Amino acid sequence: MDFTLLTKPAARVTGREKVTGTARYAGDHAPSGHLFGRLLLASVAKGRVTGIDVAEAEAVPGVRAVFTHETIGDYKPLKSFYEGGLGGTGFWPMRGTEIRHAGQPVAYVVADTLESAREAAARVRVSCAEEKATAYFDDADGEPNLVERHTLETGDAEAALREAAHLVEADYETPTQHHNPMELFWTTVEPRGDELVVHKPSQAVTTIKFALAEQLGMSPERVHVVSPLVGGAFGSKATAPYYTVLTALAARKVGRPVKLMVGRDQMYTVATFRPATRQRVRLGADADGKLVGYAHDEIAETSRWDVVVNPGTATTTRMYACPAIKARELTQGLDVPTPGFMRAPNEVPPMFALESAMDELAWKLGRDPVEFRLANDTQDDPITGVPFSSRSLKECFQRGAEAFGWADRTPEPGSMATEDELVGWGCATACYPTMMAPASARLRIGPSGDAEVELAAHDVGTGATTVMAMIAGERLGLPVGRVSARLGRSEFPVSPIAGGSVTTASAGSAVWKAAGEARDAIAEAVTAEGGPLAGADPGALSFADGQVTGGGKSVPLAEAVGATRTGRIEVTADWAHPDIDPNKIPALYKGSFGVMGPVNDRHAMYAFGAEFVEVRINPRTKSIRVPRVVGAFAAGNILNEKAGRSQLTGGMVWGVGSALHEMTETDRSRARWVNRNIAEYLVPVNADIPSVEAVIVPETDDYVNPLGAKGIGEIGIVGTAAAIANAVWHATGVRVRRTPIRMEDLLRAEA
Ligand code: MOS
């Protein structure tokens, strides 16, 4: 398809307000007369509240109320997302005395100012009966729990691995990691008569609406959720959290709007996190270097009460041709909050393991890591046998290798050292499933000929607002400046959760469809008898540069719209992929995440990438630097080349963090996380990221959706950690099989 706006670079329509500080986020919302909320979090990791003395807290000037489990009021617990519910957890605090993890809310203070609320929370006296708790993976009591529905199997992997000419068998570890979005977890709830208006940064306004309605026994129509621009989502704001309903209860009790900030000091236990994993990979090849067997067990940390599985082996098993595969997902319950999503939640831990093992196997076979991967490439899903709707892994490796200069690599570890530094080059495959959810969007064109698009999708910093305007503009022949897109309100037509990289493909397809219907209506009106383009073929009109042209004549879009019966256009379109299970559609309209993909009986749908990194290591201190990252990605049409590149680049930056920096440290004796601030929880900063380059590999996919677009929000992070581990090995000869990779791992290997 030839596009005018789409696939070209476009600046975000929200860019100027963001960089000049005038953009309004949910935390900027301050309804008149609002009060401030503050959670008090438990300091023990397990046990019971035996008493709460609020007298001193209530005496703090400005305090309006100090709620405990006895006074905040009852609410209905929801099932967790993982059991088909809307909740981020299956355990809802302040409904009783039980404490299940450190940092669980036990009281809720409401005061005139944030300062009073904080002061009062510090003066609540809580007594607890404490029990022994375990929050660290390797201290876990009890065996991991096999989650059978996620087992994937083809052929006889055990037999194949026994007979393999070359075998890699290794254990990998990835840590607990915590979100640190720039925008914190604000929630403002305003009671308005028998309605509630909720302002919060969210990836799921429809979910919040239905969750709150169910928890409080309200009709969903009376709950209004607004999530304007979001300053960091990535899975941390994807489900219905308990602090929203607690704030709603508090606001109702005091009869005033209540604004809660879950600050940096509290988000480590109140928001969600990426669970730690322990993994075993066995990978076998025959004498010619063809994979013959692959077994992968992934054990992930979860809470005691929710069996959360981010089943990443569903992705790793799709990477390479292999006749015998067995992948299993297991969970290990700990006294921690329920984990959740973090950018490519399924893929990041197990792709680190598989792609490290592939590198190990390539070396054993004496093969170049790129060439070895391509020798095992496939156009059919190894598990089900269906063809990929499109798969450009080969082109990604070719284009990426070229951009990186991979041909100059010498294979021997340590062989590229300079006088001052150990230098290593590594690569890895990146991959992310293409999923789509049903979606709807409304489009209006008024007498001016300008268009307005409304939908309850979310702009989580990805540029979704801009791309929705581009999609409508493309079909109507309008520049982006003449289309205003409005997202993030629950009263707009339902669109899916901004998760699983689905927004552009799903909500964008609904906008495309709505604009197509608008175009058809206009075409019919202008070509009718007496219309400005009477006699022209309605199917052959062109919509470009704000003009409608056909039959040798041209009219401005405004005039064309004026020729319709009502003089204006308003259409609402529902879009669903023709192969989606129709039973999933009603669930979407109640806030669930009814996605299609990535594999159905016709196709496997995935985006692919190839990531290349250079590491430079100080030979004495072993400090590791990553001066260069190059990632080449093929994900169908990249609808906004500029924002798309930014997504891919941002993913790789986070990948550097996941490989070298990020880890939540546990005080094993007290079952608490300790580095709970951005000073001690390390993330990459400018000095860690000298050069990151995203190469966009053209790819056509007519099956996935009318836009030919696969999601790109997450794929960038997927291959980076393994590419870095592989480069570290290439620089030093030391294979580090856990992240984050630290200088002590290299020093220890030398000692
Ligand atoms: Mo993303 S981790 O699916 O919000």
Side-chain angles (χ1 to χ4, degrees):
M1 208 171 324
D2 279 338
F3 291 121
T4 305
L5 298 175
L6 294 175
T7 71
K8 313 283 189 297
R12 283 152 211 256
V13 296
T14 54
R16 188 182 168 81
E17 53 186 281
K18 283 185 170 183
V19 298
T20 55
T22 57
R24 282 288 167 263
Y25 289 81
D28 296 316
H29 181 69
S32 77
H34 77 83
L35 304 171
F36 286 92
R38 171 78 177 169
L39 296 170
L40 173 64
L41 306 182
S43 57
V44 306
K46 190 171 186 174
R48 283 195 177 273
V49 174
T50 53
I52 303 185
D53 179 355
V54 299
E56 205 185 316
E58 284 177 341
V60 171
V63 168
R64 299 289 177 133
V66 181
F67 297 111
T68 69
H69 61 278
E70 288 178 329
T71 55
I72 196 156
D74 197 21
Y75 69 100
K76 189 177 156 195
L78 298 174
K79 278 203 291 188
S80 89
F81 187 84
Y82 306 93
E83 289 172 36
L86 300 177
T89 174
F91 173 70
W92 293 78
M94 291 186 67
R95 299 183 65 255
T97 58
E98 195 182 1
I99 297 172
R100 293 193 181 181
H101 64 84
Q104 170 189 318
V106 291
Y108 194 116
V109 179
V110 179
D112 291 343
T113 64
L114 193 54
E115 292 73 18
S116 293
R118 289 180 87 113
E119 175 71 14
R123 289 172 186 271
V124 176
R125 302 284 163 238
V126 183
S127 344
C128 296
E130 188 173 357
E131 291 165 37
K132 182 172 161 30
T134 307
Y136 188 67
F137 207 121
D138 298 336
D139 299 337
D141 41 38
E143 286 301 301
N145 156 47
L146 173 67
V147 186
E148 268 170 53
R149 69 176 191 279
H150 291 299
T151 298
L152 288 173
E153 200 163 8
T154 186
D156 185 345
E158 293 301 336
L161 290 164
R162 262 195 314 273
E163 288 152 25
H166 302 275
L167 183 69
V168 167
E169 178 165 10
D171 294 320
Y172 299 88
E173 286 182 25
T174 62
T176 306
Q177 296 179 328
H178 271 83
H179 285 278
N180 269 286
M182 288 206 289
E183 181 191 28
L184 292 164
F185 298 83
W186 293 93
T187 295
T188 303
V189 180
E190 183 182 357
R192 273 195 208 157
D194 62 355
E195 312 217 329
L196 288 177
V197 181
V198 181
H199 279 74
K200 63 188 281 105
S202 174
Q203 298 168 247
V205 290
T206 309
T207 302
I208 301 291
K209 169 171 121 166
F210 280 92
L212 217 42
E214 185 178 343
Q215 298 198 282
L216 300 174
M218 299 171 67
S219 148
E221 281 61 54
R222 292 195 277 118
V223 181
H224 309 280
V225 185
V226 184
S227 169
L229 302 170
V230 180
F234 299 112
S236 67
K237 293 158 180 159
T239 47
Y242 55 72
Y243 52 87
T244 310
V245 67
L246 295 179
T247 303
L249 289 169
R252 277 179 161 185
K253 289 254 171 181
V254 298
R256 298 263 292 268
V258 172
K259 181 168 177 173
L260 174 78
M261 183 186 75
V262 177
R264 191 74 59 193
D265 59 334
Q266 297 195 325
M267 50 144 251
Y268 282 78
T269 60
V270 175
T272 65
F273 61 100
R274 191 195 294 284
T277 71
R278 301 291 183 265
Q279 303 176 59
R280 162 149 296 199
V281 175
R282 288 175 293 155
L283 202 54
D286 65 16
D288 299 330
K290 288 279 182 205
L291 292 179
V292 291
Y294 166 39
H296 195 154
D297 280 356
E298 178 178 32
I299 313 173
E301 153 189 42
T302 188
S303 63
R304 293 270 185 209
W305 59 94
D306 283 322
V307 175
V308 171
V309 186
N310 291 320
T313 54
T315 299
T316 59
T317 51
R318 267 68 195 216
M319 287 307 94
Y320 304 109
C322 184
I325 298 174
K326 180 166 190 179
R328 303 191 308 165
E329 296 284 342
L330 300 94
T331 59
Q332 183 69 62
L334 295 166
D335 298 306
V336 296
T338 293
F341 309 119
M342 186 189 281
R343 204 172 199 171
N346 301 359
E347 291 70 24
V348 166
M351 283 291 281
F352 165 67
L354 173 64
E355 287 301 295
S356 295
M358 283 295 284
D359 205 67
E360 298 195 42
L361 191 51
W363 175 247
K364 275 200 171 185
L365 287 155
R367 302 277 287 267
D368 174 77
V370 171
E371 180 272 324
F372 175 59
R373 283 176 173 81
L374 295 184
N376 286 284
D377 193 15
T378 174
Q379 289 297 321
D380 298 319
D381 171 23
I383 298 291
T384 63
V386 300
F388 286 91
S389 60
S390 55
R391 170 167 165 139
S392 310
L393 181 65
K394 183 170 146 213
E395 292 75 10
C396 290
F397 269 106
Q398 288 169 341
R399 296 282 302 274
E402 198 177 309
F404 185 82
W406 184 257
D408 295 334
R409 181 179 184 267
T410 53
E412 198 72 26
S415 62
M416 293 179 74
T418 67
E419 258 175 48
D420 315 314
E421 288 172 309
L422 304 171
V423 178
W425 288 3
C427 68
T429 296
C431 176
Y432 196 81
T434 300
M435 294 179 285
M436 276 149 300
S440 50
R442 180 161 53 227
L443 183 136
R444 294 194 196 92
I445 312 173
S448 66
D450 291 356
E452 189 176 82
V453 176
E454 290 175 343
L455 65 166
H458 314 80
D459 193 336
V460 295
T462 51
T465 310
T466 310
V467 85
M468 296 308 156
M470 290 171 78
I471 291 166
E474 179 74 45
R475 273 219 127 168
L476 296 168
L478 290 173
V480 172
R482 289 189 58 192
V483 184
S484 67
R486 300 174 69 209
L487 281 68
R489 284 182 173 264
S490 64
E491 71 259 31
F492 291 158
V494 174
S495 263
I497 293 171
S501 297
V502 306
T503 293
T504 300
S506 311
S509 293
V511 172
W512 180 258
K513 188 175 170 195
E517 289 176 12
R519 193 176 149 132
D520 290 347
I522 294 165
E524 194 185 318
V526 292
T527 56
E529 212 180 304
L533 305 181
D537 173 3
L541 301 184
S542 105
F543 286 67
D545 304 321
Q547 300 280 122
V548 185
T549 307
K553 281 184 291 184
S554 220
V555 284
L557 186 66
E559 200 179 307
V561 169
T564 61
R565 196 164 359 99
T566 55
R568 55 195 294 282
I569 295 283
E570 176 166 335
V571 287
T572 301
D574 289 293
W575 178 83
H577 193 285
D579 291 342
I580 197 169
D581 171 3
N583 296 319
K584 285 188 172 171
I585 298 177
L588 170 84
Y589 290 87
K590 290 193 163 24
S592 288
F593 192 44
V595 296
M596 166 190 164
V599 181
N600 60 20
D601 53 14
R602 296 185 59 195
H603 284 297
M605 297 172 281
Y606 290 83
F608 284 88
E611 297 190 32
F612 294 82
V613 303
E614 175 175 313
V615 301
R616 288 181 172 258
I617 299 175
N618 181 301
R620 285 166 293 279
T621 67
K622 308 296 184 197
S623 80
I624 306 166
R625 293 271 163 200
V626 181
R628 279 195 310 136
V629 183
V630 173
F633 300 93
N637 286 325
I638 308 299
L639 298 185
N640 178 348
E641 197 265 352
K642 187 173 182 180
R645 196 173 284 286
S646 162
Q647 282 293 293
L648 297 167
T649 305
M652 290 186 276
V653 169
W654 199 338
V656 174
S658 84
L660 298 177
H661 306 114
E662 288 197 55
M663 174 173 181
T664 308
E665 307 279 357
T666 308
D667 173 346
R668 294 163 76 164
S669 64
R670 301 215 53 215
R672 293 161 62 93
W673 290 319
V674 289
N675 53 338
R676 291 174 301 168
N677 57 61
I678 207 160
E680 292 171 337
Y681 183 94
L682 303 183
V683 296
V685 296
N686 292 26
D688 297 306
I689 310 290
S691 164
V692 176
E693 183 190 347
V695 176
I696 293 172
V697 177
E699 181 179 73
T700 300
D701 192 317
D702 295 327
Y703 177 72
V704 285
N705 51 62
L707 298 159
K710 299 174 177 177
I712 52 167
E714 295 168 85
I715 188 171
I717 191 176
V718 174
T720 323
I724 289 174
N726 297 340
V728 166
W729 169 82
H730 184 236
T732 62
V734 180
R735 182 60 70 177
V736 183
R737 298 188 184 88
R738 66 159 189 237
T739 55
I741 299 168
R742 290 174 167 165
M743 49 171 59
E744 54 264 38
D745 295 311
L746 302 180
L747 290 167
R748 204 179 292 127
E750 203 168 70

